[in-house]
Amino acid sequence: MNVLLLAAGLLVAAFVGYNIGGATTGPAFGPAVGAGVVGNIIAAAFMSVCFLLGALTVGPAVVETLAQDLIRNPAVFTLRTSAAVLFVIGSALLLGNYAGVPASTSMTAVGAISALGLATGTLDWSVLRAIAVWWLVAPIAGFWVAGVVGRYFYPQLEEWLALEDRTRDRPLVSVRASGFVPRLRLGSSADRREMAGSLSVIAIGCVTAYASGTSNIANAIAPLYATGVIAFTPLALLGSAAVAIGAFTIARRTLETLGSDITKLPLTAAIVVAVISAGLVVFLSWLGIPASFVVIATTSIVGLGWGRATRTTTRPTATDGEGPDPVDGDPDSVTATPELFDPTTTARVLLMQNVVPVVATVGAFVLFRFGPLFEF
């Protein structure tokens, strides 16, 4: 065993995990941060712990898919090729993080590993087709479910939850650092129902972060695990630690993009987005599919913003000479609500989420098909 190649592989795996932390913290806790429930530091802490739990419990199933099933002959995963695959994945994800857009780690990783299989003639097309089908179905489902909720049910949910949309000088939930064990401190200005809703946003974000760990840990360690040199648990701990570092550092830009730039999310909207995206990701992870986590979350946010922007409301009828007059004498005439998401930012997010996986796939294929250091 080449110790230098092993060290390089571990370093690159940590590099991928670092970028995963930057890419996936935004979709998990962007709604909570954008709604003023928690700050970036608390979001990163919750992300780190829940990601680790997901990686150690359900994560092995998705690792097996990428390390054993997608490539018919796992022998092509040498230390050299594994390090190269991980380097391509990490570099592509870094491109998305630099642009402030949470690129899909699963699409990027599957693209790079599939390029290796294609270059070596060992790609299992049936497994790739099954993954691709779910990648198409899940984001569309997230968009339309969120859109329907935003268009037809959002006012009722807002009334039922009774969560006040307010601008806060500090997050509603913060950490009290006194003593050896940090404790959550709840804002004194919030009533009981608003606090319950805020804690629900955090809880759902934790579930989403857990689901991210079940799926995305494979993107950081599957190529190295396929070599058989290191067991799963040490690799999972390494990958999760790197994710935590990314969550505390470069995730700030994606938190801003997903929580503020695309749509101004009040607490009710944050709960809707988190429930939909977490549910779909957990379902895909249960099936063993490397879920396109950030795409599902992003399309859910866009769908909710679109649904709310196109929602129609009834104008009040003037009965005493005050208030707006009905249009054309029709007291039931309607008008669309203002647009609540930024189309420019949305287009940039969707574009980069497709560009990054393409860059990884094409780059990996060229490297393994024509690179002088790789002969199969």
Side-chain angles (χ1 to χ4, degrees), residues 46-83:
F46 282 130
M47 179 71 195
S48 303
V49 173
C50 296
F51 186 97
L52 174 62
L53 293 176
L56 293 177
T57 53
V58 186
V62 185
V63 171
E64 289 291 336
T65 299
L66 294 186
Q68 306 292 335
D69 300 338
L70 187 58
I71 302 296
R72 293 196 305 270
N73 182 14
V76 301
F77 282 113
T78 64
L79 285 176
R80 178 174 295 180
T81 58
S82 296

Side-chain angles (χ1 to χ4, degrees), residues 129-195:
R129 281 194 296 268
I131 294 174
V133 167
W134 282 112
W135 281 357
L136 291 174
V137 171
I140 293 174
F143 176 88
W144 283 109
V145 171
V148 169
V149 171
R151 185 176 176 88
Y152 298 108
F153 303 106
Y154 188 84
Q156 294 89 331
L157 287 173
E158 198 168 35
E159 181 180 359
W160 178 69
L161 293 171
L163 299 177
E164 182 180 354
D165 184 19
R166 66 179 68 178
T167 300
R168 300 180 176 88
D169 296 330
R170 61 174 54 187
L172 194 62
V173 180
S174 57
V175 172
R176 180 178 297 172
S178 61
F180 292 99
V181 180
R183 292 182 298 173
L184 292 179
R185 181 173 58 188
L186 307 180
S188 58
S189 61
D191 58 32
R192 181 174 299 179
R193 292 193 68 180
E194 184 180 13
M195 189 57 62

